[in-house]
Amino acid sequence: MDEGNQSVVSEFVLLELSHSQNFQVLLIIILSTIYLIIVPGNIVIITLIISDPRLHTPMYFLLANLSFIDMWLSSNTTPKMIIDIFREKKTISFRGCMSQIFFSQFIAALEMVLLVAMAYDRYVAICKPLHYFTIMNLQRCIGLVVTAWTIGIVHAVSQLILIVPLPFCGPREIDSFFCDRPLVVKLACTDLSNLELFMNVNCGVVAVIPFILLLISYAHILLTVSKGSKIGASKALSTCTAHIIVVVLFFGPCIFLYVWPLSITWMDKFLAVFYSIFTPLLNPAIYTLRNKEIKNAVERLTGYYMHSKGKT
């Protein structure tokens, strides 16, 4: 990190979501409960997919990666947010702030590309079922995941190398519960018009291109299922509906936070909380609660555990 910056601003002050004591207590209960569901829930999904041979398919390989990313997304901000509720002075170091920006940008771009990969998987499964395992082989799946991670890293680094050298000479208050990139950039004491334009274009490209690819994939799927049997169409539409819900819940807050900011403080805070806390909770729920194969895998794992316990 740039030592010059840290000599002027060594830390930032994070403002509260609310000044109400009762609301703060409610936040502690809600956030702690959600986080304690997100982490074990996603660990269970990953464990099931790794341990159950019947789930060793491209779709569940991608789902395991999504669960890992969601767990990481919530862990980037939620634990500190919970701890800060107990603290009178809520501060974060310059390095800690830059780390939060890096990981939030990295995970956002990574998950967007991964959602495109999952949509492509469903497109091949529904539109080209006879060639599914030929097209979605292990090498292709690993290539899609590596591509997603590469794009995420490149995007995050391209944002961070522009933010770190900025002259942060005060004020140092961030009107959020974490280091949100647009809010941090606004604290720099220099002309930001060109920089903000570049960053918004950068985020726009990362968000809009995957969103267009997702629309194309689902359009092809809907056209294909409309020509098939009612039973097949119903099953495909059920799968696509779950995917589309996830896409809307993830892309909506990202677009309004980083591509087309609303400039409404309370709305930005709500979207930031929704994106970083509720999305990692809803993703696995949407993908797994209605998934018969996941339910069967849970029953098999539970039965195996109970059988092993009975022997001992």
Side-chain angles (χ1 to χ4, degrees):
M1 298 299 175
D2 187 352
E3 296 298 329
N5 286 345
Q6 296 187 66
S7 64
V8 179
V9 174
S10 60
E11 63 180 16
F12 295 98
V13 177
L14 302 173
L15 301 184
E16 297 176 335
L17 287 175
S18 172
H19 296 290
S20 168
Q21 188 66 34
N22 292 334
F23 187 73
Q24 297 280 6
V25 173
L26 182 63
L27 268 180
I28 294 171
I29 296 171
I30 293 174
L31 293 176
S32 300
T33 303
I34 291 176
Y35 189 67
L36 290 174
I37 293 173
I38 290 172
V39 175
N42 282 294
I43 288 175
V44 168
I45 293 172
I46 295 169
T47 303
L48 282 173
I49 293 172
I50 293 174
S51 62
D52 195 323
R54 300 184 191 185
L55 299 182
H56 292 177
T57 64
M59 181 178 76
Y60 292 107
F61 173 74
L62 296 173
L63 179 58
N65 278 273
L66 180 66
S67 294
F68 176 74
I69 295 165
D70 280 334
M71 192 163 53
W72 199 358
L73 172 61
S74 63
S75 298
N76 184 40
T77 56
T78 308
K80 177 165 176 53
M81 183 180 179
I82 295 172
I83 293 171
D84 280 349
I85 292 175
F86 295 96
R87 298 171 60 189
E88 184 175 346
K89 188 177 181 182
K90 309 172 194 332
T91 60
I92 184 170
S93 67
F94 183 86
R95 291 175 183 272
C97 186
M98 295 302 110
S99 296
Q100 280 196 341
I101 291 174
F102 175 83
F103 285 113
S104 63
Q105 296 295 307
F106 166 57
I107 295 168
L110 168 56
E111 185 154 343
M112 286 177 184
V113 180
L114 188 60
L115 288 173
V116 173
M118 297 179 75
Y120 176 70
D121 171 76
R122 291 300 84 204
Y123 161 75
V124 176
I126 294 170
C127 300
K128 300 181 180 181
L130 298 178
H131 304 284
Y132 177 69
F133 287 104
T134 302
I135 297 173
M136 294 299 296
N137 52 49
L138 181 60
Q139 185 177 0
R140 176 67 57 84
C141 291
I142 293 174
L144 289 171
V145 171
V146 170
T147 300
W149 280 71
T150 302
I151 291 174
I153 291 173
V154 171
H155 170 68
V157 170
S158 68
Q159 297 276 308
L160 204 63
I161 59 176
L162 296 174
I163 298 173
V164 172
L166 290 175
F168 294 104
C169 48
R172 59 194 183 101
E173 290 186 344
I174 301 172
D175 194 8
S176 183
F177 63 92
F178 75 108
C179 284
D180 200 4
R181 192 265 296 164
L183 298 179
V184 174
V185 170
K186 287 180 180 178
L187 297 180
C189 44
T190 185
D191 181 32
L192 301 169
S193 54
N194 293 331
L195 180 64
E196 288 184 322
L197 177 63
F198 172 80
M199 287 186 169
N200 288 337
V201 170
N202 187 315
C203 290
V205 170
V206 172
V208 172
I209 291 178
F211 190 67
I212 291 173
L213 292 174
L214 286 165
L215 292 178
I216 293 172
S217 297
Y218 290 124
H220 277 287
I221 291 172
L222 293 174
L223 286 173
T224 301
V225 300
S226 65
K227 299 174 184 177
S229 65
K230 289 185 178 180
I231 296 175
S234 177
K235 185 177 179 181
L237 286 173
S238 177
T239 303
C240 288
T241 300
H243 285 229
I244 290 170
I245 291 171
V246 169
V247 168
V248 171
L249 291 176
F250 185 79
F251 276 81
C254 279
I255 289 172
F256 287 113
L257 282 172
Y258 302 115
V259 182
W260 187 19
L262 294 173
S263 298
I264 304 174
T265 303
W266 70 267
M267 181 61 74
D268 285 341
K269 286 185 178 182
F270 170 78
L271 291 173
V273 171
F274 188 90
Y275 162 71
S276 60
I277 298 170
F278 287 99
T279 300
L281 174 67
L282 294 173
N283 276 1
I286 292 169
Y287 275 112
T288 59
L289 288 181
R290 296 170 60 190
N291 191 307
K292 188 176 181 181
E293 293 182 15
I294 290 288
K295 290 179 181 178
N296 291 338
V298 172
E299 291 175 2
R300 287 193 294 270
L301 185 63
T302 304
Y304 175 79
Y305 174 76
M306 294 301 292
H307 180 71
S308 300
K309 190 175 181 181
K311 283 186 176 182
T312 57

